[in-house]
Amino acid sequence: MNVKGVKTKVSVDLVDHFIVPDCHEEISILYEDESLLVINKPSGLLSLSGKNPKNKDSVHYRLVEDYPTVTLAHRLDFGTSGVMLLAKNKQVNANLTQQFQARTVTKRYESILAGHLRNEEGVINLPIAKDAALFPRLKICNQEGKEARSKYQVLERLTGPSRTRVQFTPLTGRTHQLRLHSQAIGHPILGCDLYGSVETQGLAARLLLHAVEITITHPHSQKPISFISPSPF
């Protein structure tokens, strides 16, 4: 893809000492049964409490009081909002873990990227590795990286400034995959603090990435079931 790259500058010291701002938005429950708890995670809330004691607030921290046995079947980044799946017991968690490992879980995201993508759809196939020099950032690395593939489709082209609303379907589940892949093709997600420029960060008050839908095989019924949360932006 012939696109113009965007320079990125991140302060490692800032990241290492980052204290999460208070999140006043509530968690909403989308679905619940004897096995599953499905929520709409707000942007600006950790999935799991951080190592720093000042970063205690999280999805798990808030829910464990009412659901003592609940565990996270997967995680969403701090800035990402949308559908998040939790298991109510160890057996269900093991079942869901197997589904994620087998890549039978389908996830769909919506995002707004900087600039206009050249193609209407495609697959970004760029391996991802840890970046020891810029933790917690990751990097594209053909030598050390693990396979990472993201399917995208243009939903809308916006102007003033140029932006593109896209639908992402990650075909693998690497950490920061959609954010890093977007930056790697020269179109970072608006509001992204790790992989955006000063300009693209300033175009949104939050990370414009939302988990719209997740489809799994229900651990008990063994039938496909989907959960949806429309994009708020």
Side-chain angles (χ1 to χ4, degrees), residues 112-126:
I112 297 182
L113 312 186
H116 285 165
L117 277 69
R118 179 176 180 179
N119 300 320
E120 291 297 315
E121 60 182 24
V123 175
I124 305 168
N125 187 3
L126 295 170

Side-chain angles (χ1 to χ4, degrees), residues 168-184:
F168 277 122
T169 304
L171 304 178
T172 56
R174 306 300 176 200
T175 302
H176 297 179
Q177 179 174 313
L178 299 179
R179 293 202 280 166
L180 184 53
H181 273 175
S182 298
Q183 187 255 6

Side-chain angles (χ1 to χ4, degrees), residues 138-175:
L138 303 176
K139 62 182 179 180
I140 302 298
C141 181
N142 291 315
Q143 290 74 34
E144 303 173 4
K146 295 181 179 180
E147 178 192 23
R149 293 180 295 131
S150 305
K151 182 179 179 181
Y152 70 88
Q153 180 181 351
V154 171
L155 299 178
E156 184 181 11
R157 296 182 184 274
L158 305 166
T159 57
S162 297
R163 293 153 292 147
T164 306
R165 180 185 295 272
V166 300
Q167 175 180 284
F168 277 122
T169 304
L171 304 178
T172 56
R174 306 300 176 200
T175 302

Side-chain angles (χ1 to χ4, degrees), residues 21-28 42-47 49 56-67 70:
D22 292 339
C23 178
H24 300 290
E25 190 173 346
E26 297 293 326
I27 293 172
S28 57
S43 175
L45 182 65
L46 296 169
S47 292
S49 300
K56 183 181 293 185
D57 190 25
S58 68
V59 169
H60 185 264
Y61 180 79
R62 292 188 185 186
L63 294 178
V64 74
E65 184 175 349
D66 294 325
Y67 303 92
V70 77

